[in-house]
Amino acid sequence: AYVDPIHDFAFLRFDPESLRRTPKSAIELDPSGCVVGEEIRVVGNDNLEKLQILSGTVARVDRNPPDLAGDFSDENTFYVLAGSGTRGGSSGSPVLNKLGRAIAINAAAMDGTMHAFYLPLHRVKR
């Protein structure tokens, strides 16, 4: 397992065969699919909802780390910026392109705007 307290997500390792009632489905990683203008969907528990699917469009793929209040401090990467309106509860959620492939991970949002910040997957995929 890997836990990232700055970006509020974790990677967990488990045996999918041990799932008895949960349908199994893999999401393909597609780091190169993250391009300006790409239509996206963010699947998560936004604002404590059970499940939400929010839409948006990638606006930038080279955004500096956001300047957010609290203990969020990151200077080691750049972000993808999109107008999807995600809020608390969706951190770590996959950002999917129109082909259903993961192109980023939801990391943060800026209050009072529709701006959402995503971590690009090119550093994740091996």
Side-chain angles (χ1 to χ4, degrees):
Y2 170 78
V3 177
D4 187 326
I6 298 292
H7 304 106
D8 193 22
F9 72 88
F11 290 115
L12 306 174
R13 183 179 301 242
F14 65 96
D15 177 9
E17 296 305 318
S18 67
L19 299 175
R20 295 182 185 175
R21 296 187 185 125
T22 304
K24 300 172 197 90
S25 181
I27 298 175
E28 184 179 338
L29 302 182
D30 184 12
S32 64
C34 190
V35 295
V36 172
E38 182 71 25
E39 293 180 33
I40 57 168
R41 301 293 183 266
V42 181
V43 181
N45 296 328
D46 206 56
N47 280 331
L48 302 176
E49 295 289 333
K50 185 173 182 180
L51 174 66
Q52 276 192 332
I53 301 173
L54 299 173
S55 63
T57 304
V58 173
R60 289 186 67 174
V61 294
D62 60 352
R63 172 67 159 77
N64 289 333
D67 185 18
L68 302 173
D71 61 355
F72 188 91
S73 176
D74 186 358
E75 57 187 43
N76 297 317
T77 191
F78 61 89
Y79 287 78
V80 175
L81 173 70
S84 65
T86 58
R87 292 291 169 257
S90 288
S91 295
S93 296
V95 179
L96 307 175
N97 64 11
K98 59 188 168 193
L99 299 174
R101 297 177 181 149
I103 61 170
I105 297 172
N106 189 20
M110 187 172 289
D111 287 338
T113 73
M114 292 295 288
H115 294 165
F117 302 96
Y118 310 129
L119 290 170
L121 285 183
H122 73 279
R123 294 185 180 187
V124 175
K125 188 171 180 179
R126 293 183 192 203

